[in-house]
Amino acid sequence: MAGFPPPGATILGDAAAGKKIDEVGKKKVDYFNLPCPIPFEELQREAIMSLKPELFEGMRFDFTKGLNPKFSLSHSVFMGPMELPSQGAETLKIPTAHYEFGANFIDPKLMLIGRVLTDGRLTARVKCDLTDDLSLKANAQLSNEPNMSHGMVNFDYKGKDYRTQLQLGDGSLFGASYIQSITPHLSMGGEVFWAGQHLKSGVGYAARYENDKMVATGQVASTGMVAMSYVQKVSEKVSLATDFMYNYLSRDVTASVGYDYILRQARLRGKLDSNGCASAFLEERLNMGLNFVLSAEIDHKKSDYKFGFGLTVG
Amino acid sequence: MASRISLKPSSGNNKGANGAAERSTVQVLKEWSAWSLEKSKVIAHYGFIPLIIVIGMNSEPKPQLYQLLSPI
């Protein structure tokens, strides 16, 4: 850069002078080339991954067998108490055991995941890229009992620096969401939904600010929900997360703090809640393809203690 | 409103072209769509996992049939 004459000195023009200011001076944000934002439903994904692991109670064994790089079958056995919704303060638990068979086909353009339980319930997920920007997602839970089946279809369109989604569900559920990148670090969006069967409708807004070390999100909805989350990456292996949820209609508050240790052979996530609930989840890699899982959740307010262990193969 | 006093259709659907005595086209359409929704739900329930297995067994590299059942 030393050999160049100072900007404005030549007759050659504004274009050259402008480019030099861009290179030499501070980095100028190019507002026409913003990155594509995260999809609206995944706005809080770092916080959800750190604070809400899949806690379970009982014994779990998962075996995944790959026949192909794209096609695999999975067998899963679960034995343990299942919680029933109960009106009183006591938790009602019934010991159950089930076997679940699943088939996955994962292709860059088409993804099909199906799981069926011993009582006949089917969970199906389909994701198909219709074009480069438009993709179709569908998921359904079908069961043999009448009126217990649900399905939902999403159409996602990805623009240059925005994403939109249209959602159609059974029971005349309609939803639409839009999220836009405002700066390279900040993105904001909104969503609308209308539930025909319950005659409810709502509007929500969300914002997400992220940089290399942290992610902060905030969400407000007309259903009364206010949710904020903050995740800080303290080092390569450790991140801390905190979450705050407030319902201004029912005056319900929940705040939680948690940590997420991603080590070479293990992943440990722990959380402490304002409802008096402490939980931890450990996934340890014993060998190539063999993972050992431990889950614990202690609810002091309800005196409910849940411990689970499991093995994941493949 | 004087002409509408007699004969209210029992099904409550006034949009059909025909009168109260015959089933209107909209009603027939509704019945067919409900029937087809029921049938497609049953087809999806029984056929989704076999569909995934058929698509998977025909993808490259083709796996062998015994690999479906053996635990190796």
Side-chain angles (χ1 to χ4, degrees):
Chain A
M1 297 280 153
F4 285 102
T10 59
I11 303 176
L12 263 186
D14 289 327
K19 204 157 138 232
K20 269 177 249 164
I21 294 176
D22 276 350
E23 287 164 353
V24 172
K26 287 195 285 257
K27 253 198 308 205
K28 194 166 170 290
V29 173
D30 185 357
Y31 282 101
F32 291 103
N33 262 336
L34 291 172
C36 204
I38 307 267
F40 190 85
E41 67 253 7
E42 289 178 31
L43 205 75
Q44 301 199 336
R45 71 170 175 204
E46 278 87 2
I48 290 178
M49 278 197 319
S50 293
L51 292 173
K52 299 189 166 95
E54 285 178 14
L55 301 165
F56 60 97
E57 181 176 15
M59 187 215 77
R60 200 178 89 180
F61 177 72
D62 293 322
F63 173 55
T64 305
K65 183 175 148 149
L67 282 82
N68 218 343
K70 299 184 190 176
F71 176 52
S72 58
L73 297 173
S74 84
H75 306 267
S76 165
V77 177
F78 173 78
M79 294 181 202
M82 291 284 272
E83 225 170 278
L84 290 184
S86 84
Q87 269 70 18
E90 292 185 359
T91 39
L92 216 60
K93 291 193 194 182
I94 292 191
T96 47
H98 62 68
Y99 163 72
E100 184 186 65
F101 173 72
N104 312 329
F105 178 75
I106 301 183
D107 196 39
K109 290 222 153 158
L110 175 68
M111 182 181 91
L112 300 166
I113 294 185
R115 298 267 180 276
V116 66
L117 284 166
T118 38
D119 54 8
R121 266 184 296 161
L122 171 77
T123 304
R125 277 176 49 197
V126 176
K127 176 175 172 303
C128 176
D129 286 337
L130 300 170
T131 74
D132 263 343
D133 296 326
L134 182 66
S135 88
L136 164 81
K137 288 200 291 204
N139 58 33
Q141 268 198 320
L142 305 172
S143 91
N144 279 326
E145 298 164 34
N147 292 343
M148 289 289 281
S149 312
H150 314 281
M152 187 143 70
V153 175
N154 296 349
F155 292 97
D156 294 316
Y157 181 76
K158 182 172 78 158
K160 194 148 168 272
D161 58 359
Y162 66 91
R163 282 190 201 247
T164 66
Q165 184 187 72
L166 176 69
Q167 212 174 52
L168 303 164
D170 81 314
S172 48
L173 172 74
F174 295 102
S177 75
Y178 176 80
I179 184 164
Q180 163 92 46
S181 278
I182 313 270
T183 77
H185 298 293
L186 177 68
S187 52
M188 301 177 89
E191 67 169 346
V192 194
F193 74 89
W194 184 72
Q197 247 177 12
H198 310 273
L199 286 180
K200 277 203 290 202
S201 67
V203 184
Y205 303 102
R208 177 186 161 106
Y209 181 84
E210 66 178 306
N211 66 26
D212 285 338
K213 297 252 165 190
M214 52 80 96
V215 175
T217 69
Q219 221 171 350
V220 188
S222 71
T223 51
M225 177 198 72
V226 173
M228 295 188 284
S229 79
Y230 179 77
V231 179
Q232 169 91 30
K233 191 166 159 191
V234 173
S235 82
E236 272 302 313
K237 300 186 179 184
V238 183
S239 55
L240 300 173
T242 163
D243 178 81
F244 176 79
M245 188 144 83
Y246 173 55
N247 191 326
Y248 58 77
L249 293 174
S250 69
R251 303 273 171 190
D252 232 345
V253 185
T254 304
S256 63
V257 176
Y259 60 86
D260 188 349
Y261 275 73
I262 304 183
L263 308 169
R264 242 181 320 130
Q265 309 271 45
R267 183 169 182 186
L268 177 61
R269 288 175 264 188
K271 175 181 90 158
L272 186 59
D273 221 336
S274 68
N275 292 334
C277 191
S279 70
F281 192 80
L282 168 72
E283 287 158 296
E284 170 120 13
R285 206 185 74 152
L286 298 178
N287 208 341
M288 180 72 202
L290 190 65
N291 287 342
F292 180 60
V293 178
L294 280 177
S295 150
E297 188 183 351
I298 300 180
D299 195 338
H300 292 286
K301 212 151 107 175
K302 293 194 239 171
S303 292
D304 187 15
Y305 313 111
K306 300 191 203 163
F307 298 96
F309 66 97
L311 206 59
T312 304
V313 182
Chain B
M1 287 291 146
S3 57
R4 284 243 177 254
I5 293 177
S6 62
L7 263 198
K8 220 166 158 59
S10 53
S11 61
N13 188 358
N14 287 334
K15 285 193 221 149
N18 308 324
E22 302 166 356
R23 283 153 62 216
S24 63
T25 39
V26 179
Q27 250 187 307
V28 167
L29 208 59
K30 270 194 190 170
E31 276 178 26
W32 274 16
S33 63
W35 175 88
S36 68
L37 203 65
E38 267 299 312
K39 292 301 167 199
S40 59
K41 186 195 147 256
V42 174
I43 291 175
H45 199 166
Y46 285 104
F48 190 69
I49 298 241
L51 171 77
I52 301 183
I53 292 181
V54 162
I55 292 182
M57 294 299 275
N58 285 333
S59 65
E60 293 304 320
K62 272 212 178 120
Q64 304 283 330
L65 199 57
Y66 72 90
Q67 282 180 307
L68 263 182
L69 295 171
S70 86
I72 297 191

